[in-house]
Amino acid sequence: MSTTTKDKPQAQEPVPRAITSVGDRVFAGLTLGASLLILAALASVFIFLFAKGLPGFNRAAEVYGPRADSFLGYVAPLLGGTVIAAIIALIIAVPLAWGIALVISHYAPKFIAVPVAYLVDLLAAVPSVVFGLWGVIVLAPKMVPAFDFLNSYFAWIPIFDGDVSNSGRTIITAGVVLAIMILPIITAITREVFSRTPRLNQEAALALGATRWEMMRLTVFPYGRSGMVSAAMLGLGRALGETMAVAMVLSLGGWSGNLLGPGNSSIAANIASKYKERSEDLLSVLIASGLVLFLLTFLVNFAARWIVGRAERKMAGA
């Protein structure tokens, strides 16, 4: 006769509580304090710009100059010049930076990839004044034949119609200078993201018969998509806020709608050019335009964070 015995309920072992040392608590407090300090700094900058620039939104018409009779008419061309110069820089720099990062991380041998990576990173150490001097003295005169060509054969496009700058100091030249300035940032981040692609995924794609380019397209690019977008957006933020190089290349004035003509400028370059001889009324207008640039940069970074987060959620769902 078999006997059945009821299993006695076993007492559950208590879950050990996480032991936090003094160093862990200090580190957590320091990181929290650093985060709050950054938020406080951003809030203080916004409050300063808003308080000092609020009178600039409603000044007399003569304060805004002969080209505008209101703050909107004053800042809109400058905002257009800022955005157009940054877009031109992105169009040039982003494909070039992605290509350089791909060559350094996957194509070039190590004895070539390492020096090239160092040379590209060294571009970030060059002061913006040097880029501005190079743009004015070297690049601008060499761009004049290209501008004449665009005006002669593509004048049916509104942005290439109108007067052509004889000096070459146009918004396209400023965009080229900005592209070289943001190239190291985009290249460095993209290169790091590409190099961290899991090796097993790449080897699996090659083992299944994929070519080198198909392996890149199927493994490297999807893995690094969020980093590529982050790098491009970080470069965009750098291009939007650049001051000295743009101020040296461009003349005063807002965006006129003609990419080949003079008289274009950006918000940051306009502030740098007019700050020295400003009056009290003009100072508030300049600070108000700085507030517009601050909000624009904040929105760009917010959009970048949203795009990156959306890409990461899609990758996690896949």
Side-chain angles (χ1 to χ4, degrees):
M1 184 177 64
S2 61
T3 59
T4 59
T5 58
K6 295 182 179 181
D7 296 334
K8 295 182 179 180
Q10 298 179 355
Q12 295 182 354
E13 296 181 0
V15 179
R17 298 179 60 183
I19 301 176
T20 57
S21 63
V22 177
D24 293 334
R25 290 194 294 268
V26 172
F27 179 76
L30 289 176
T31 54
L32 178 61
S35 303
L36 296 177
L37 182 62
I38 294 174
L39 294 178
L42 288 175
S44 63
V45 170
F46 175 78
I47 293 172
F48 167 78
L49 292 175
F50 183 79
K52 296 294 184 179
L54 185 61
F57 289 101
N58 190 21
R59 289 295 187 184
E62 57 269 13
V63 178
Y64 301 110
R67 297 186 179 183
D69 55 358
S70 64
F71 179 76
L72 181 61
Y74 177 82
V75 77
L78 297 172
L79 183 62
T82 303
V83 174
I84 293 299
I87 290 176
I88 293 173
L90 280 186
I91 292 174
I92 299 173
V94 168
L96 185 59
W98 288 352
I100 295 174
L102 195 61
V103 169
I104 293 175
S105 60
H106 287 82
Y107 280 95
K110 189 173 182 180
F111 71 91
I112 295 178
V114 173
V116 171
Y118 285 153
L119 289 176
V120 174
D121 293 341
L122 280 176
L123 287 175
V126 179
S128 59
V129 176
V130 176
F131 282 109
L133 288 173
W134 174 80
V136 172
I137 299 174
V138 178
L139 180 63
K142 295 183 181 300
M143 295 290 289
V144 174
F147 296 157
D148 292 334
F149 174 82
L150 291 175
N151 183 256
S152 299
Y153 294 96
F154 296 95
W156 51 274
I157 303 178
I159 57 177
F160 298 140
D161 187 19
D163 298 332
V164 179
S165 174
N166 295 326
S167 63
R169 297 173 61 182
T170 67
I171 199 166
I172 296 181
T173 306
V176 174
V177 174
L178 288 176
I180 299 175
M181 296 181 67
I182 67 177
L183 184 66
I185 302 173
I186 304 176
T187 303
I189 298 176
T190 309
R191 183 185 72 234
E192 186 66 21
V193 173
F194 286 167
S195 64
R196 292 184 178 276
T197 304
R199 180 64 62 181
L200 291 178
N201 294 358
Q202 302 178 50
E203 294 176 351
L206 294 174
L208 291 174
T211 63
R212 178 66 67 90
W213 168 247
E214 289 173 340
M215 183 271 291
M216 299 291 178
R217 184 168 53 87
L218 296 174
T219 62
V220 177
F221 290 158
Y223 181 83
R225 185 181 298 127
S226 61
M228 296 165 67
V229 174
S230 299
M233 289 299 180
L234 186 61
L236 176 59
R238 174 76 169 86
L240 289 173
E242 176 53 39
T243 303
M244 289 308 302
V246 179
M248 295 172 69
V249 172
L250 296 179
S251 57
L252 290 178
W255 182 47
S256 59
N258 177 17
L259 299 183
L260 307 179
N264 297 309
S265 188
S266 65
I267 293 179
N270 182 72
I271 294 174
S273 301
K274 293 185 176 180
Y275 182 79
K276 187 176 181 180
E277 289 116 6
R278 89 282 183 194
S279 62
E280 190 66 28
D281 293 339
L282 182 58
L283 177 60
S284 61
V285 175
L286 296 178
I287 295 177
S289 61
L291 176 62
V292 174
L293 180 60
F294 177 84
L295 294 176
L296 175 64
T297 307
F298 179 81
L299 290 176
V300 167
N301 286 277
F302 180 80
R305 184 65 261 176
W306 180 80
I307 293 173
V308 172
R310 186 169 178 266
E312 290 177 350
R313 288 191 297 270
K314 289 180 66 176
M315 289 292 295

